[in-house]
Amino acid sequence: MSNMLKGIAASSGVAVAKAYLLVQPDLSFETKTVENTDNEEARLDAALAASTSELQIIKDKAVASLGEEAASVFDAHMMVLADPEMTGQIKETIRAKKENAEPALKEVTDMFISIFEGMEDNAYMQERAADIRDVTKRVMANLLGVKLPSPALIDEEVIIVAEDLTPSDTAQLDKKFVKAFVTNIGGRTSHSAIMARTLEIPAVLGTNNITELVNEGQLLAVNGITGDVIIEPSPEEQAEFHKAGEAYAAQKAEWAALKDAETVTADGRHFELAANIGTPKDVEGVNENGGEAVGLYRTEFLYMDSQDFPTEDDQYEAYKAVLEGMNGKPVVVRTMDIGGDKTLPYFDLPEEMNPFLGWRALRISLSTSGDAMFRTQLRALLRASVHGRLRIMFPMVALVNEFRAAKKIYEEEKAKLIAEGVAVADNIEVGIMIEIPAAAMLADQFAKEVDFMSIGTNDLIQYSMAADRMNEQVSYLYQPYNPSILRLVNNVVKAAHAEGKWAGMCGEMAGDQTAVPLLMGIGLDEFSMSATSILQTRSLMKRLDSKKMEELSNKALTECATMEEVVALVEEYTK
Ligand code: PEP
Ligand code: MG
């Protein structure tokens, strides 16, 4: 009897492979009296050697994917293992207490950790404590003969099973081996889901308890289009999943023919299809998928992949690479949006009751402690502006005064650079994200001052519905087609047009095939989505009539009470 479960379909594609559990193993141990302490010292040496070679492999992979600097943390870990002071004390403890290696390892490392952590105002020592904690786990796992999950060490095709994946876990996944992932929590707009779509790794999230149901190495079948997961599928079920995978591949091949085609509706109206990216490397995917622009570059990943604040020059290089990679096509760069589900190891974000409602994004940039970071980013952007067509966008704007304050800082840095003789483009557009309902309601006033507005529906929906975007328990409230959301979107688009400005959307709704006809009718100018959704959307737009879509959206805006009614209407109009 096979075991079937359903989660949230978060990234398209189908896979059948063995499960790889990315869960913390049980590292508890028994304390035993031993006669032969030499034996325990030898066990310790073997565990240290195994840990060192594992770390070396992880480091080599990290150097290849993230660069030498980002990988230097593993050198620090290997130095801990090679520290004779610490290993000497562990061995002494084994001999003195005549006990096995496990309690000795714990006792000595705990002591070092508490000494370093005690030096509260010394960030370097705090980091050493964290290094020792991390490395000890690996040595303990080797002593106990249990496996510590290390995605970087995966060298065969697997499906990752985890409670949750952080954006940085996701960034480390190697597409060659990781065929899909399935998690207990998370939704379509959590950042791990968004990254999975960029990487084209099928994903099913929010299954509640997959980690309890699956054992390491068990066969799994995952369909990221339907959200179906089968544990130990029968040969017939495997064949069914393979067939679904082939159908999806064939569909993709059909869409691929539209790579260089124009995005025009059946009646000849053009819409701009742009892509959301997280790193300069993603530009390749944008061009491969026929993207007409970058509608959202989430620059916080530049900060998250780094051991410290990225310098002005580092940022300049990244922005220049994206602008040049897009060959003069527009690039919307969003200033840093840290907070919510995105944290920085080196920046002390306070513990908050509600991080998504807290100190994040522009709120940090406009604070005293964020000012220098914000100015550095703006300078890097201004310097890069001569390499392409730059649009700068501020995230999480609630107040017109916040936009004014950010624009003022932008103008100050621009004036300073020009005074220093640095070339700055004269066609930079400065706009905002509309992701807070207050800003959506006041869009007419914002429209007078900004160059453009891009609707961030991932947050706009969570704030409008008061439903956490990461929480699968309330994911039924995540309703992009609800008439209330459509009215907010419509308000923004009409307000922008009344002032002769353009309106885009960079939330996941922009690539949602049920939402697209409605948004075309509303008159959204730019649709920014995962690059992998562009060709499918172009194909959809090509067969629709823009006038008919206007009729559809007008009906949805004025006559519908529920999401279900809107969906039925879309089906009727797009048949
Ligand atoms: C959004 O909120 O819709 C958005 C695009 O930004 P992010 O998903 O990074 O919060
Ligand atoms: Mg957002």
Side-chain angles (χ1 to χ4, degrees):
M1 193 37 207
S2 63
N3 204 344
M4 220 166 154
L5 67 165
K6 190 133 191 125
I8 297 166
S11 177
S12 295
V14 180
V16 178
K18 284 195 290 185
Y20 181 97
L21 262 68
L22 200 61
V23 286
Q24 289 307 320
D26 180 7
L27 293 181
S28 56
F29 57 84
E30 274 177 53
T31 302
K32 294 183 222 159
T33 312
V34 291
E35 280 310 313
N36 185 350
T37 53
D38 285 351
N39 201 11
E40 291 304 309
E41 287 184 40
R43 280 183 66 229
L44 178 72
D45 283 333
L48 290 169
S51 302
T52 306
S53 65
E54 285 170 11
L55 282 170
Q56 187 62 51
I57 299 172
I58 295 173
K59 187 198 156 180
D60 291 346
K61 295 219 172 174
V63 169
S65 60
L66 301 170
E68 192 74 49
E69 200 190 337
S72 63
V73 60
F74 301 109
D75 286 329
H77 287 192
M78 283 187 273
M79 264 162 68
V80 172
L81 290 176
D83 178 3
E85 172 81 22
M86 189 149 72
T87 48
Q89 284 202 34
I90 300 169
K91 288 181 179 176
E92 246 170 57
T93 308
I94 292 173
R95 286 195 295 271
K97 294 204 164 173
K98 286 195 170 301
E99 280 176 359
N100 50 339
E102 287 87 342
L105 171 70
K106 179 158 170 32
E107 186 184 318
V108 173
T109 52
D110 276 354
M111 182 190 74
F112 275 93
I113 290 168
S114 70
I115 293 172
F116 289 157
E117 277 184 343
M119 304 178 192
E120 268 173 22
D121 42 8
N122 188 330
Y124 177 80
M125 288 304 178
Q126 298 284 323
E127 270 173 40
R128 294 292 73 76
D131 289 341
I132 297 172
R133 201 183 288 283
D134 238 37
V135 168
T136 304
K137 253 204 262 172
R138 184 167 298 282
V139 180
M140 189 64 88
N142 275 310
L143 272 176
L144 294 168
V146 297
K147 196 191 74 176
L148 203 60
S150 315
L153 296 180
I154 296 173
D155 55 3
E156 58 175 345
E157 292 195 354
V158 295
I159 291 172
I160 299 239
V161 171
E163 166 74 11
D164 185 21
L165 283 180
T166 63
S168 56
D169 286 336
T170 316
Q172 284 175 41
L173 301 182
D174 183 345
K175 235 183 98 170
K176 198 161 101 203
F177 299 122
V178 177
K179 294 291 138 191
F181 65 84
V182 187
T183 65
N184 291 353
I185 65 168
R188 249 195 91 76
T189 60
S190 58
H191 285 97
S192 51
I194 292 169
M195 292 177 72
R197 289 197 284 282
T198 303
L199 295 165
E200 284 198 276
I201 298 179
V204 173
L205 309 186
T207 60
N208 282 321
N209 58 350
I210 180 100
T211 52
E212 289 159 29
L213 302 174
V214 175
N215 295 320
E216 182 76 28
Q218 255 183 329
L219 196 67
L220 281 184
V222 175
N223 186 331
I225 306 161
T226 59
D228 290 326
V229 179
I230 303 183
I231 303 168
E232 303 253 283
S234 66
E236 294 76 31
E237 286 166 331
Q238 289 180 46
E240 230 173 80
F241 272 66
H242 283 304
K243 218 165 116 194
E246 280 160 20
Y248 180 64
Q251 176 78 82
K252 278 206 324 192
E254 213 173 279
W255 292 330
L258 296 175
K259 179 172 165 261
D260 299 314
E262 263 190 277
T263 311
V264 282
T265 60
D267 57 330
R269 175 154 178 200
H270 174 255
F271 291 98
E272 185 167 274
L273 289 187
N276 297 344
I277 62 168
T279 74
K281 276 198 283 187
D282 297 339
V283 170
E284 200 184 317
V286 181
N287 289 321
E288 276 169 10
N289 286 286
E292 294 164 64
V294 167
L296 168 65
Y297 173 9
R298 288 185 167 92
T299 57
E300 51 278 5
F301 290 109
L302 197 65
Y303 293 72
M304 287 161 70
D305 283 345
S306 173
Q307 298 301 309
D308 205 342
F309 290 107
T311 63
E312 183 181 315
D313 282 343
D314 288 344
Q315 293 192 55
Y316 164 78
E317 291 299 336
Y319 305 148
K320 176 174 169 237
V322 173
L323 285 161
E324 286 185 345
M326 287 305 293
N327 278 318
K329 291 178 189 157
V331 174
V332 179
V333 182
R334 173 173 78 182
T335 60
M336 171 293 275
D337 182 3
I338 290 300
D341 62 342
K342 293 171 288 197
T343 55
L344 294 182
Y346 50 86
F347 185 58
D348 220 2
L349 282 165
E351 282 274 330
E352 294 181 311
M353 294 275 277
N354 296 296
F356 273 106
L357 299 180
W359 197 51
R360 58 176 286 205
L362 193 66
R363 299 165 182 189
I364 297 177
S365 298
L366 294 178
S367 71
T368 313
S369 43
D371 182 74
M373 173 170 41
F374 189 43
R375 286 179 190 271
T376 302
Q377 180 166 34
L378 289 172
R379 286 173 69 86
L381 281 166
L382 284 156
R383 280 173 52 200
S385 66
V386 293
H387 299 288
R389 195 158 147 216
L390 176 64
R391 298 167 168 172
I392 297 176
M393 174 161 79
F394 304 127
M396 290 290 292
V397 179
L399 309 173
V400 170
N401 280 339
E402 287 173 330
F403 172 70
R404 289 180 183 156
K407 181 84 189 280
K408 182 165 171 273
I409 296 174
Y410 162 82
E411 294 293 358
E412 282 169 11
E413 292 309 319
K414 185 173 169 184
K416 271 193 238 166
L417 281 171
I418 292 171
E420 289 164 25
V422 177
V424 172
D426 58 6
N427 62 349
I428 305 172
E429 293 176 54
V430 181
I432 57 171
M433 288 195 70
I434 299 278
E435 49 189 341
I436 297 178
M441 294 304 297
L442 205 61
D444 56 332
Q445 297 301 323
F446 278 104
K448 293 178 189 165
E449 305 191 27
V450 302
D451 294 327
F452 67 90
M453 300 192 268
S454 180
I455 307 169
T457 47
N458 305 341
D459 281 318
L460 184 62
I461 299 172
Q462 86 164 338
Y463 298 137
S464 301
M465 295 285 179
D468 188 335
R469 66 196 262 191
M470 306 284 285
N471 184 343
E472 75 288 351
Q473 293 247 292
V474 292
S475 63
Y476 71 97
L477 286 165
Y478 217 85
Q479 300 194 350
Y481 332 121
N482 189 289
S484 61
I485 301 300
L486 297 177
R487 288 186 190 189
L488 282 172
V489 169
N490 185 56
N491 194 49
V492 176
V493 174
K494 299 292 147 54
H497 292 173
E499 294 293 334
K501 310 288 167 65
W502 64 269
M505 181 179 286
C506 55
E508 292 304 302
M509 181 178 175
D512 180 311
Q513 301 297 294
T514 303
V516 166
L518 294 157
L519 299 171
M520 291 164 70
I522 287 173
L524 188 78
D525 302 289
E526 177 236 36
F527 294 63
S528 194
M529 59 195 73
S530 307
T532 47
S533 299
I534 289 178
L535 294 172
Q536 180 181 15
T537 307
R538 182 168 293 153
S539 158
L540 174 67
M541 285 181 166
K542 273 185 159 321
R543 65 179 186 83
L544 298 178
D545 179 273
S546 73
K547 286 279 175 300
K548 200 168 159 200
M549 294 309 108
E550 264 174 50
E551 219 180 285
L552 158 71
S553 65
N554 282 337
K555 261 199 161 162
L557 287 164
T558 54
E559 292 173 19
C560 291
T562 66
M563 165 187 101
E564 288 77 11
E565 287 170 30
V566 174
V567 173
L569 211 57
V570 173
E571 276 166 13
E572 184 191 322
Y573 272 77
T574 57
K575 266 205 289 270

